[in-house]
Amino acid sequence: MSKSIRRYKEHLIVKFPKEADHHHLSSFSDKIRMEILKRGVKNIIFDFSDVTFIDSSAVGLILSKSKTVESLGGKAGLCCAKGHVLKVLNACTAVGLSKMFDNVEEAISCFEKKQEA
Amino acid sequence: MEFYNEMTVSFKSLSINESFARVVVASFVTSLDPTLEDLADIKTAVSEAVTNAIIHGYEGKDGIITIHCTITGKTVTIKIIDKGVGIEDIEKARQPFYTSKPEMERSGMGFTVMETFMDRMEVESRPGEGTTVTLIKTIE
């Protein structure tokens, strides 16, 4: 499946492309920014389930977009990262900067619980 | 006698060539019978160096990137060469999270990734003349 952005309630779910490099992410970044600015978006979840290649370009995008939603009072999370994808995220310390989840549903559940507390 | 092989490839500084560059290097290295993890490490490091050449070396303008690869025994040496603007302060550029282009959402982790995934990385650069990044890895 190709990259996509979908909305569920106040959560923006960003599915990264199979090859998450500078070339494949350059136009994607603007689309994500436009969606974040739409009314009612609070949290962002980066879904790596289709990703087979990643480099630090993806980390730059994650850090930038996470900062934007957090400055607006929201939260950011990463999910479905495994193997080499996880290794690159670890090397860039991105795992420590955003919470890691097993899947999108777990991230949504965590963000909604925090809101209720 | 120790096994020796080499190859050189040149291409335009277009972002679409990032995947071409990492795949061609990975294909060349397969003669060393690397693990999938070794190949993924090399592809990631090459992608970082080529992306740097496109964004920082040529600043998005036209240019030629050359990759020169040698295999000596079990060691692969990959040179990524651009004739772009060069780096003023290499030590500063190598610092984690340092980027000269924060407006382009660069993480500043490119050199850190190259250092982490390869056995050795060297950077030679002259302002106005270009940059050569050398990546070295021994496949056990």
Side-chain angles (χ1 to χ4, degrees):
Chain A
M1 188 185 273
S2 62
K3 62 196 173 194
S4 67
I5 307 168
R6 70 183 166 96
R7 171 99 174 259
Y8 174 74
K9 296 187 199 171
E10 60 186 7
H11 314 288
L12 196 65
I13 300 146
V14 174
K15 192 163 197 167
F16 272 74
K18 197 174 168 188
E19 302 228 320
D21 62 7
H22 159 249
H23 176 70
H24 291 94
L25 295 177
S26 49
S27 62
F28 199 34
S29 176
D30 282 343
K31 287 180 190 155
I32 299 168
R33 186 176 57 82
M34 300 289 278
E35 290 297 322
I36 290 173
L37 297 175
K38 283 184 182 168
R39 196 184 177 102
V41 170
K42 190 173 181 195
N43 305 313
I44 191 164
I45 300 161
F46 299 101
D47 178 359
F48 291 92
S49 53
D50 285 344
V51 180
T52 56
F53 177 84
I54 183 178
D55 65 21
S56 70
S57 302
V59 175
L61 187 151
I62 292 165
L63 296 179
S64 166
K65 303 309 182 207
S66 299
K67 208 169 154 186
T68 303
V69 294
E70 283 162 8
S71 72
L72 298 168
K75 296 195 179 306
L78 314 176
C79 73
C80 309
K82 52 189 184 298
H84 198 72
V85 173
L86 192 56
K87 190 175 173 181
V88 174
L89 292 173
N90 271 316
C92 296
T93 66
V95 172
L97 298 172
S98 295
K99 207 163 164 27
M100 181 69 71
F101 300 96
D102 287 341
N103 52 55
V104 172
E105 292 71 28
E106 190 185 86
I108 290 172
S109 167
C110 174
F111 290 159
E112 291 185 347
K113 267 184 204 157
K114 274 189 182 160
Q115 199 175 318
E116 285 165 17
Chain B
M1 199 171 142
E2 209 168 37
F3 176 73
Y4 181 79
N5 195 7
E6 67 175 85
M7 72 99 179
T8 303
V9 61
S10 294
F11 49 87
K12 282 191 80 168
S13 59
L14 300 173
S15 66
I16 200 166
N17 287 329
E18 289 160 8
S19 57
F20 165 74
R22 60 182 179 257
V23 168
V24 80
V25 172
S27 301
F28 181 70
V29 173
T30 50
S31 63
L32 290 175
D33 198 20
T35 62
L36 287 177
E37 190 171 1
D38 287 332
L39 281 179
D41 288 352
I42 291 168
K43 282 168 78 175
T44 306
V46 169
S47 192
E48 297 289 356
V50 171
T51 302
N52 274 356
I54 293 168
I55 294 177
H56 301 285
Y58 290 116
E59 300 184 308
K61 297 177 191 128
D62 257 8
I64 296 291
I65 297 166
T66 299
I67 297 182
H68 180 65
C69 253
T70 60
I71 292 173
T72 307
K74 290 179 178 254
T75 301
V76 59
T77 301
I78 308 155
K79 285 185 184 287
I80 296 101
I81 304 151
D82 73 65
K83 301 288 178 198
V85 298
I87 302 170
E88 291 277 351
D89 186 338
I90 295 173
E91 286 315 305
K92 195 174 174 186
R94 289 178 74 149
Q95 295 295 313
F97 296 110
Y98 171 79
T99 178
S100 59
K101 299 215 181 306
E103 74 284 0
M104 289 183 73
E105 291 187 334
R106 304 308 302 160
S107 66
M109 294 300 283
F111 282 129
T112 304
V113 168
M114 289 182 240
E115 278 180 322
T116 306
F117 289 176
M118 301 299 284
D119 295 342
R120 215 164 86 213
M121 183 201 69
E122 290 161 11
V123 185
E124 297 162 68
S125 189
R126 280 178 185 272
E129 292 182 23
T131 301
T132 298
V133 174
T134 305
L135 306 168
I136 301 167
K137 193 176 185 76
T138 298
I139 308 296
E140 299 298 345

